[in-house]
Amino acid sequence: MKKINYLIITLLSVTVYSQVGINTSNPQTVFHIDGKKDNHPTNIPSTTEEKNDVVVTENGYVGIGIISPSQNLDVNGNVRFRTVPESNSVVTTDKIMVLQEDGTAKKVDVKSLQPAEKFALDDIYSVTATSPVLRNIEGTWTTEQKINNIDIGMSQLIVIPPNTSTMIAVNYSVPLGMDGNSQCANNVLNYYGIRFLKNGVERPAGSRKFSFPNLSTSAQVSTVTASYTEQIVNNSTNSLNITYSLNGYLEFKSGTITSSPCTVKYNMASASGENYNWGKSNMSVQTFKKPL
């Protein structure tokens, strides 16, 4: 009976203190798998041989493709993650993983990717006119009488992300001129231009008007261009929608236009063709954000 007990204790001792090898008779760590069974029976595996090995060391380090891991998980090769949960948003408290020069990983705040107090491009919006817009100005007008709400179909919705400060840069270009009878408005039409609106309210900094070339006998075509910038702080947890739009603007002197019709045209010369002389109306909006 004593002999049997002694044998059991001896076997347990061997099990506790021995190294386990799978597909290898020469394990280098506590647990060593040789995937391809290509390790040398007595020598330390070469760098080529260890590429298909998996080991666990006495301090709990796991090595894949390397038999001497220096971290909790040491991988000599590429890794792949499957079925990672997806999200369509990033918050300033999120962390990202980056690899240092020696290949070890560290986590940093996602906001560290953007220098403090610097705006980063968030989005670019653009709208281009698809057809000309005509306005007949035949009739009698008084001094400084205006038409300032001509819908030329140029409108753009933008989204301000939550918890951000956003710098907005708007640029637009709108061709306009007389259609057909180019002299019918002479001495009555005083100014023409564009009103710039934010959520239906004019922002004068983005509006432009120009003197109508009354003495010209040419086609009287001009292009109105302007830039507009503003900074918007959205300290809520919801996105903020803003609509920028352009309206045609006409201002008159006292007088009567008798030609029928006497037409001002916006956006382009024709809905078809290249419109090389006029071009086409375009408005672009760039948004740059930084976290609050």
Side-chain angles (χ1 to χ4, degrees):
M1 185 69 175
K2 290 182 179 179
K3 292 182 179 179
I4 294 175
N5 289 339
Y6 179 78
L7 178 61
I8 293 173
I9 292 172
T10 302
L11 291 173
L12 287 174
S13 299
V14 171
T15 302
V16 170
Y17 294 105
S18 67
Q19 294 176 321
V20 177
I22 296 178
N23 293 337
T24 177
S25 59
N26 182 29
Q28 300 297 306
T29 62
V30 174
F31 183 67
H32 188 164
I33 301 174
D34 178 13
K36 287 187 176 181
K37 302 181 183 181
D38 60 354
N39 291 357
H40 194 279
T42 57
N43 296 338
I44 296 175
S46 67
T47 54
T48 299
E49 293 169 342
E50 70 177 347
K51 285 183 179 179
N52 58 77
D53 291 8
V54 178
V55 301
V56 179
T57 67
E58 62 182 4
N59 54 12
Y61 288 178
V62 176
I64 301 176
I66 185 170
I67 61 172
S68 54
S70 60
Q71 300 292 327
N72 290 337
L73 177 62
D74 197 335
V75 179
N76 180 22
N78 208 349
V79 296
R80 181 175 183 177
F81 299 94
R82 298 176 185 268
T83 321
V84 176
E86 295 186 3
S87 176
N88 58 5
S89 64
V90 176
V91 297
T92 56
T93 54
D94 283 347
K95 307 289 184 180
I96 61 172
M97 184 177 72
V98 297
L99 297 182
Q100 302 181 96
E101 185 176 1
D102 63 355
T104 56
K106 66 178 180 181
K107 64 180 181 179
V108 298
D109 291 334
V110 67
K111 61 184 180 182
S112 67
L113 297 179
Q114 181 177 332
E117 300 305 315
K118 297 293 185 181
F119 288 96
L121 179 65
D122 178 53
D123 212 336
I124 300 176
Y125 305 83
S126 182
V127 58
T128 300
T130 58
S131 62
V133 172
L134 305 179
R135 179 59 183 256
N136 182 14
I137 58 173
E138 174 192 0
T140 299
W141 305 93
T142 59
T143 300
E144 296 187 356
Q145 186 174 354
K146 303 175 182 66
I147 305 174
N148 60 9
N149 60 350
I150 303 173
D151 183 2
I152 63 173
M154 296 293 293
S155 180
Q156 181 62 62
L157 171 70
I158 70 166
V159 179
I160 307 298
N163 299 309
T164 59
S165 176
T166 301
M167 184 65 72
I168 299 170
V170 183
N171 292 278
Y172 69 80
S173 173
V174 179
L176 59 94
M178 301 305 298
D179 180 54
N181 186 346
S182 60
Q183 282 79 50
C184 63
N186 284 355
N187 300 316
V188 179
L189 183 58
N190 201 17
Y191 296 100
Y192 57 4
I194 295 295
R195 287 178 72 233
F196 179 76
L197 308 174
K198 173 187 175 183
N199 292 336
V201 179
E202 183 175 9
R203 292 291 194 178
S207 298
R208 298 289 186 273
K209 70 177 183 179
F210 298 91
S211 297
F212 181 73
N214 282 288
L215 300 179
S216 174
T217 58
S218 64
Q220 298 172 321
V221 176
S222 301
T223 298
V224 179
T225 61
S227 298
Y228 174 86
T229 60
E230 69 170 314
Q231 185 174 345
I232 297 176
V233 176
N234 181 11
N235 53 17
S236 74
T237 56
N238 298 315
S239 296
L240 177 65
N241 293 337
I242 294 177
T243 299
Y244 293 107
S245 55
L246 307 177
N247 278 358
Y249 175 89
L250 301 172
E251 184 176 332
F252 299 87
K253 296 185 289 186
S254 179
T256 299
I257 297 175
T258 58
S259 298
S260 180
C262 183
T263 306
V264 180
K265 179 185 290 186
Y266 290 85
N267 288 345
M268 63 187 73
S270 173
S272 61
E274 298 299 331
N275 286 272
Y276 287 119
N277 291 333
W278 282 60
K280 296 181 179 181
S281 291
N282 176 269
M283 177 170 60
S284 64
V285 184
Q286 294 177 311
T287 56
F288 303 84
K289 72 176 182 180
K290 64 179 179 181
L292 294 178

